[in-house]
Amino acid sequence: MEDMNACYARMAEAVVAGDAEAAAVLARQALDERLDLPAVIEQGYIPGLRRVGDLWEDGEYFLPELISSAAAMKAALAVLGPALEASGAAGLSRGRIVIGTIEGDIHDIGKNLVASMLSANGFNVVDLGSDVKADRFIDAAVETRADLICLSALLTTTMLGQRRVIERLRERGLRERFKVLVGGAPVSRAWAAEIGADGYGENALAAVTQAAALAAAKVTP
Amino acid sequence: MIPALRPKVELLSRDYVEKVIGEALDLLEQEGVFVENAEARLLFREAGMPVDEATQRVRLTSHLVEDALASTPPSILMYDRAGSREFTVGGDEVHFDPGSGAIRMLDSVTQKERKAATIDVVRLTRLTDACEHIHFQSTALISADVPEIVADSYRLYLGLLYSTKPMVTGTFRIAGFKPMLEMLAAVRGGSEALRRRPLAIFDACPSPPLKWSNLTAQSLIDSARASVPSELISMSLTGATAPVTLGGALVQHTAENLSGLVICQLARKGAPVIFGGSPASFDMRKGTTPMGAMETMMIDMAYAQIGKHLKLPTHAYMGLSDAKIQDAQSGFETGLGAVLAALAGINVVSGVGMLDFESTQSLEKLLIDNDICGMAYRLLDGVAQRDEPLAAHLFDGIRPDTQFLTMPHTRKWYRIEHRMANLTDRDTYDAWEGAGRKSIGDRAAEQARALLSAVPPNLPDPALQKELRSIMEADARSNGAAGLPDLP
């Protein structure tokens, strides 16, 4: 047990240090040694992620640390995910999300931040990249049976395209099927309300909280 | 008489400037840029550059960049709507214009942000027209009461109707260029006349790092061919979309701008290009893009110095604030930015009126900023020698009760040497209290109302109004947009 605790601590440390390589190596060792995978995630990696959240709240960590830690978490989950699914364990997916930057906008820094935080927090994320047309968001959401569509825009000019996606969802009779979360530098709560989005993430962490709330609301009618 | 020294600030040594340019040229040669636009890639291929169609990556030799630099004019003459007043964009000339592309208005009454409508764009444009120290107009605000598809041409339409000043604008769609150019040509009475007397600058933003989108590259090509000046707006975010060090960000900025300049010159040799930008010191906590950060202004001043070294006209987003209301922050960030931009000799300085990370415009802030720009211009005029000797003759026969108020010398010079306060408070406490304890924002709001009711709109002649309307309506119709809003 001593040994296991030390092993979990190293996993947590890899996440806290934002060391994706170490996080993945430890995950592979866990597979090789046939460790209890749900326990590895719950007692190894998740406490690391929680510690990162605390460091952020305390003002110790800034975005470079936060995003590196998210990348480390993602690297571990990429190793453990397939084995978890194969083992028939419930898995850790909190929901499936289609994300992308609106048509006309090829700035994807904000979207990438949100996408990596969402994956690190156990969402199954389908990243469509940047300059994504309204219908492509919807087609991808239908194909992947997504719960949420996340729309990012950095420019004040392309932000207007977020409304278009929601309009197309209505026109295609799919508005009720997906929750829509909007974000991006110029996006405000008022804008989200105006275009009829279900949520608005003012930053990457808020997006995770919002997505979790929306996904939970969607599962439990 | 000893001429006044023009005060000037440079942040980089010559060695540093040359190092940045050298690394930028290496970057373009070794890594290249991503160009989404097929026509632009074709131009590069025709120029003998290695182009990878699959990855859209283009590598540029230093030789090509140097050729392009050699054919780019070192300065541009812009003309007002009447085609009579001339503005030099080059040398150390400084012209302020409202920060462009805001989508929200800080409401004068509620002091809350709200979306902007035609009436707001008209008011902002008219006030800018009335501001002495704001030389250029920009399509500063996007109105939400027209279909999004024609949002770009519509804001230029309103600008040309309600302002006489040279414009800074840009496209939101490839097809937007044509109607916008038609409007500009209509004002000038033909496209040849427009070539000779440019009326508008078109902004084009590369996407960091090192990417030109289809739209922005097309804007460069179309503008170059029409002799419309392109303003290259590299907008890297330190540590997010660009290296975190100021020096590293400068290398990327220079490489992005130079690649845009080459696209312009390949489209038409001699095309006017402005070395500009809107970079920001990325906030590692909030994930925001502070325009009022000192580091942002330092990057602006430094790349402008690099632009000057390359003998190019320059531009920056300075003299704006990230504050959400008129407060101490909105004043100090704008004041610092405007003064530093002026000291750096940046030719086009976009920002006045703007709040909240380039997203919001304010009528009150615009007027306050006009005062700030006036102070910056006064600073640039420097300390002149007005008399020979400077003062000795004023002390002839000095007595204990000598005063200067009634001297002819005072009367001769006081209006030239000193600027009167406009909105700035210089009252005694009692006078200020007696006038209702008003903040500068309150006074600016009053002045905005007064100007809008007292000064009639500067409309062009009815025939031109009609022609602009018909170009705008045709653009709206061809995009399936029913009716345009009535004008106020």
Side-chain angles (χ1 to χ4, degrees):
Chain A
M1 205 57 205
E2 247 333 81
D3 196 20
M4 276 319 298
N5 282 342
C7 177
Y8 290 153
R10 277 202 301 281
M11 290 166 177
E13 183 41 41
V15 174
V16 173
D19 188 339
E21 206 183 316
V25 167
L26 290 166
R28 251 174 257 121
Q29 280 173 13
L31 289 185
D32 293 345
E33 292 167 22
R34 298 176 184 282
L35 299 184
D36 175 11
L37 296 186
V40 159
I41 290 172
E42 285 302 327
Q43 295 173 55
Y45 292 102
I46 296 274
L49 202 59
R50 250 184 241 125
R51 172 96 186 106
V52 170
D54 291 344
L55 287 165
W56 168 270
E57 290 300 329
D58 293 346
E60 285 291 317
Y61 267 19
F62 288 79
L63 285 174
E65 291 89 358
L66 189 70
I67 301 306
S68 305
S69 292
M73 189 72 191
K74 217 168 129 181
L77 293 181
V79 175
L80 300 174
L84 260 179
E85 266 172 42
S87 75
L92 71 171
S93 182
R94 299 165 76 177
R96 198 179 292 271
I97 294 181
V98 164
I99 191 170
T101 307
I102 279 301
E103 182 178 14
D105 206 328
I106 58 174
H107 305 89
D108 49 11
I109 178 75
K111 183 264 296 168
N112 291 347
L113 292 180
V114 174
S116 50
M117 288 308 290
L118 288 169
S119 335
N121 282 277
F123 286 93
N124 198 326
V125 178
V126 180
D127 188 345
L128 301 178
S130 55
D131 195 12
V132 181
K133 285 193 178 0
D135 280 305
R136 226 186 112 220
F137 277 107
I138 300 170
D139 294 342
V142 170
E143 271 165 37
T144 60
R145 298 160 173 267
D147 303 296
L148 258 78
I149 301 176
C150 291
L151 307 172
S152 168
L154 175 72
L155 301 179
T156 53
T157 50
T158 51
M159 181 184 100
L160 308 173
Q162 293 179 337
R163 186 207 303 274
R164 178 84 190 129
V165 176
I166 293 175
E167 282 169 1
R168 283 298 295 151
L169 276 171
R170 284 208 193 93
E171 284 163 17
R172 292 173 61 173
L174 294 167
R175 182 64 191 91
E176 300 312 313
R177 205 160 132 194
F178 308 106
K179 297 285 182 191
V180 179
L181 188 61
V182 295
V187 176
S188 64
R189 195 173 302 284
W191 169 252
E194 183 194 322
I195 63 172
D198 300 296
Y200 148 73
E202 79 167 313
N203 56 47
L205 286 182
V208 172
T209 316
Q210 278 278 318
L214 288 175
K218 194 159 182 292
V219 180
T220 42
Chain B
M1 297 284 183
I2 303 168
L5 184 75
R6 187 206 191 278
K8 205 170 169 179
V9 172
E10 290 189 333
L11 297 190
L12 308 178
S13 66
R14 197 186 166 86
D15 284 353
Y16 204 110
V17 168
E18 283 168 0
K19 186 161 180 60
V20 171
I21 294 170
E23 283 200 29
L25 290 175
D26 288 348
L27 186 56
L28 290 174
E29 189 149 344
Q30 283 152 25
E31 302 298 332
V33 284
F34 297 94
V35 181
E36 282 188 355
N37 183 289
E39 190 178 355
R41 289 200 303 276
L42 181 63
L43 289 172
F44 279 113
R45 265 204 310 281
E46 285 170 355
M49 294 301 114
V51 175
D52 183 338
E53 280 296 323
T55 60
Q56 306 185 329
R57 186 198 291 254
V58 178
R59 289 185 175 80
L60 290 72
T61 61
S62 300
H63 185 71
L64 180 76
V65 177
E66 278 150 17
D67 264 7
L69 279 167
S71 65
T72 307
S75 73
I76 301 166
L77 289 179
M78 296 296 298
Y79 292 84
D80 65 358
R81 193 176 65 193
S84 49
R85 192 169 166 202
E86 186 179 285
F87 300 83
T88 301
V89 177
D92 286 331
E93 295 292 315
V94 175
H95 306 292
F96 293 100
D97 70 294
S100 185
I103 43 164
R104 289 191 288 270
M105 191 73 203
L106 184 68
D107 189 276
S108 297
V109 177
T110 64
Q111 286 297 299
K112 284 187 178 156
E113 290 182 6
R114 58 166 171 78
K115 60 185 177 178
T118 296
I119 180 75
D120 298 306
V121 181
V122 171
R123 284 181 179 147
L124 188 77
T125 307
R126 286 182 55 202
L127 283 186
T128 302
D129 209 53
C131 283
E132 178 189 353
H133 305 298
I134 302 174
H135 293 174
F136 291 177
Q137 186 68 249
S138 75
T139 44
L141 197 53
I142 299 163
S143 53
D145 56 355
V146 291
E148 281 147 25
I149 182 82
V150 293
D152 53 3
S153 52
Y154 186 70
R155 59 181 193 155
L156 179 64
Y157 166 65
L158 294 181
L160 293 174
L161 272 187
Y162 290 95
S163 170
T164 60
K165 298 182 174 181
M167 304 286 303
V168 180
T169 187
T171 54
F172 301 158
R173 57 188 162 127
I174 285 179
F177 187 80
K178 190 169 165 280
M180 291 171 81
L181 186 69
E182 275 172 23
M183 287 184 214
L184 295 168
V187 171
R188 280 285 179 265
S191 50
E192 265 318 300
L194 179 66
R195 276 176 194 276
R196 285 195 304 274
R197 289 176 187 251
L199 173 61
I201 292 166
F202 275 55
D203 285 354
C205 315
S207 305
L210 300 165
K211 271 178 283 195
W212 283 97
S213 72
N214 194 27
L215 168 69
T216 52
Q218 194 64 46
S219 172
L220 294 178
I221 293 171
D222 292 343
S223 298
R225 289 188 176 146
S227 283
V228 167
S230 277
E231 204 158 67
L232 307 169
I233 314 282
S234 173
M235 38 193 266
S236 51
L237 306 175
T238 52
T241 63
V244 75
T245 52
L246 306 194
L250 286 170
V251 170
Q252 181 180 318
H253 192 108
T254 304
E256 285 176 354
N257 272 6
L258 286 176
S259 61
L261 178 137
V262 171
I263 294 174
C264 293
Q265 297 308 308
L266 290 178
R268 194 183 68 79
K269 239 181 169 40
V273 183
I274 300 167
F275 196 87
S278 179
S281 149
F282 188 66
D283 187 292
M284 288 298 184
R285 166 116 314 228
K286 313 279 185 187
T288 51
T289 57
M291 304 309 297
M294 184 48 73
E295 297 82 354
T296 299
M297 302 187 209
M298 290 166 76
I299 299 171
D300 289 326
M301 294 167 78
Y303 79 67
Q305 191 186 337
I306 291 164
K308 283 171 179 293
H309 180 89
L310 294 169
K311 301 195 168 45
L312 297 169
T314 54
H315 157 276
Y317 260 86
M318 293 174 84
L320 65 171
S321 172
D322 307 316
K324 315 300 183 275
I325 53 170
Q326 321 299 339
D327 61 5
Q329 183 183 342
S330 68
F332 80 70
E333 288 180 340
T334 303
L336 279 170
V339 165
L340 288 174
L343 288 175
I346 297 172
N347 305 137
V348 182
V349 184
S350 303
V352 290
M354 218 163 208
L355 292 163
D356 193 4
F357 312 105
E358 300 187 356
S359 75
T360 302
Q361 271 287 352
S362 154
L363 301 180
E364 296 77 33
K365 183 170 186 293
L366 184 80
L367 295 180
I368 297 168
D369 295 355
N370 181 48
D371 276 19
I372 294 174
C373 296
M375 292 173 96
Y377 281 128
R378 176 62 191 90
L379 175 64
L380 291 189
D381 286 342
V383 181
Q385 183 181 1
R386 304 291 190 190
D387 306 285
E388 178 54 44
L390 287 171
H393 60 298
L394 303 175
F395 294 92
D396 276 352
I398 187 167
R399 297 188 333 208
D401 62 347
T402 292
Q403 46 79 19
F404 293 84
L405 258 181
T406 55
M407 275 189 198
H409 180 265
T410 298
R411 197 146 165 193
K412 179 178 176 190
W413 288 113
Y414 83 95
R415 288 169 193 266
I416 296 167
E417 286 278 277
H418 303 271
R419 295 265 159 95
M420 296 297 139
N422 175 21
L423 289 169
T424 310
D425 174 32
R426 289 176 182 166
D427 267 336
T428 61
Y429 187 87
D430 287 348
W432 171 77
E433 190 161 51
R437 305 177 61 91
K438 286 172 188 153
S439 72
I440 192 167
D442 299 333
R443 292 190 297 276
E446 284 172 4
Q447 190 175 67
R449 279 195 297 276
L451 281 169
L452 289 170
S453 65
V455 183
N458 242 326
L459 295 164
D461 69 65
L464 179 53
Q465 287 181 43
K466 217 173 137 208
E467 193 177 353
L468 292 172
R469 182 81 187 176
S470 81
I471 297 169
M472 188 62 237
E473 278 173 350
D475 184 29
R477 259 198 319 277
S478 71
N479 284 290
L484 297 167
D486 290 330
L487 298 177

